[in-house]
Structures are given as C-alpha cells and as structure tokens.
Amino acid sequence: MYRTRLPVAAAVLALLVCLPGCSSASTAVEACMGKQAVGATSGELAGTYRGEGDAEGVTLTLTASPTVPGSGTVTVHDWPTGDWYRSELGDTFDGSGTWSVVQGGTTATEFARLSLSFTAPKRLLDGDTLDSLSIAETDGRISLYTQYDPDVCPAFRLRHQDN
C-alpha cells in the first residue's frame, strides 16, 4: 500500500517544485495566445484586429497587396507611441503605412513577425512606436502581440475579427 503512494507523492512533489521555474516561452504564449507561427500569408493576416489587455481600444487593419505576397498596407487607430521595450507606452495616434511578414527561421525558437512601417503621421521615427508584432494562431483565429516577458501572457495583444 505504501509502495504505490510513495512514487505518486514524489511525482506530485516534483511537479509542484517545477511549476514556478519550468515554464518555457512557447508554453506561456501558447497558453493564452495560441501556437506561435513560423510563417503567415497575406490572406491569413488581412483583416481587422481589435486590442485586448494593454491594447484595449486599439484597432489595426491589414490590407493585402495584390502584387507582393506577404505584405500590404496598414491602418491603425489609437496606436501607442513610445519605445517598445518600456513598460509604459505613450500617447496614441491614428496613422497608416505598410506591413510585411518576416518569416521564421529553421530552429524551434524562430517565429514569424509582422513588421510595420508608418508613413503617416510623418513625425514618427524608428523606435517611436511599436513596429514589430509576433504572430500566433489558435482555432483558425490569428492574434498579434508583443512579448516583453516570455513567462507571462502578453499584455499588448490584438485578435483578428474577420474570421
């Protein structure tokens, strides 16, 4: 009777000890955003995204280019200014520009990203606003997000509304 309880108790104890420090970046993201994308097409990404968490009130619309795969135009509403690595974002703006997909690499840690380039308003310089978002997919729905801490759910996230 004690022989069967000891291995079970040891396994439960090992799990409890491991939980705080054994999470991986992909596990934390997958738990709240879905599977990180290695690649994405214009057709998958095109559409309107609505903000959640720190991105509440933000709208991002991607229109696919008819001639250049994996790219197109972007329009944003209430998009935050400020350096992407700071915990506090600045004022918001409405603007437009272009987007393209930076495909993931060949290793398990290289995932696709959405690169944004704003042409309006012209006051923005490189680093003045969020211009790179990670891509995730769950149940056929695409999400975009920024990843500051790989051990927690991304706070700045947008969900695709068109599918």
Side-chain angles (χ1 to χ4, degrees):
M1 180 164 165
Y2 292 111
R3 288 183 198 177
T4 58
R5 288 187 183 174
L6 187 57
V8 171
V12 170
L13 180 60
L15 179 63
L16 290 174
V17 169
C18 183
L19 281 177
C22 294
S23 67
S24 68
S26 63
T27 303
V29 169
E30 286 180 15
C32 56
M33 298 302 298
K35 185 174 168 87
Q36 289 180 282
V38 175
T41 66
S42 299
E44 292 170 324
L45 293 174
T48 300
Y49 296 78
R50 302 255 186 256
E52 298 176 354
D54 286 354
E56 185 150 346
V58 172
T59 304
L60 176 137
T61 303
L62 301 176
T63 304
S65 168
T67 57
V68 182
S71 68
T73 58
V74 62
T75 304
V76 295
H77 176 69
D78 282 342
W79 196 256
T81 60
D83 295 325
W84 65 269
Y85 55 85
R86 295 198 177 155
S87 61
E88 296 287 325
L89 296 173
D91 293 332
T92 62
F93 68 94
D94 296 342
S96 60
T98 60
W99 65 271
S100 62
V101 176
V102 178
Q103 301 294 345
T106 56
T107 70
T109 59
E110 296 175 341
F111 298 103
R113 298 189 60 76
L114 179 69
S115 177
L116 305 174
S117 177
F118 292 100
T119 54
K122 294 194 180 295
R123 65 182 167 83
L124 295 173
L125 301 172
D126 288 341
D128 283 348
T129 188
L130 297 172
D131 59 5
S132 182
L133 298 167
S134 296
I135 304 167
E137 186 269 330
T138 186
D139 298 328
R141 177 165 276 174
I142 301 289
S143 296
L144 306 172
Y145 62 96
T146 58
Q147 187 63 26
Y148 298 115
D149 183 349
D151 293 327
V152 298
C153 184
F156 188 92
R157 56 191 184 272
L158 303 119
R159 301 239 189 234
H160 198 271
Q161 300 298 304
D162 296 341
N163 58 2

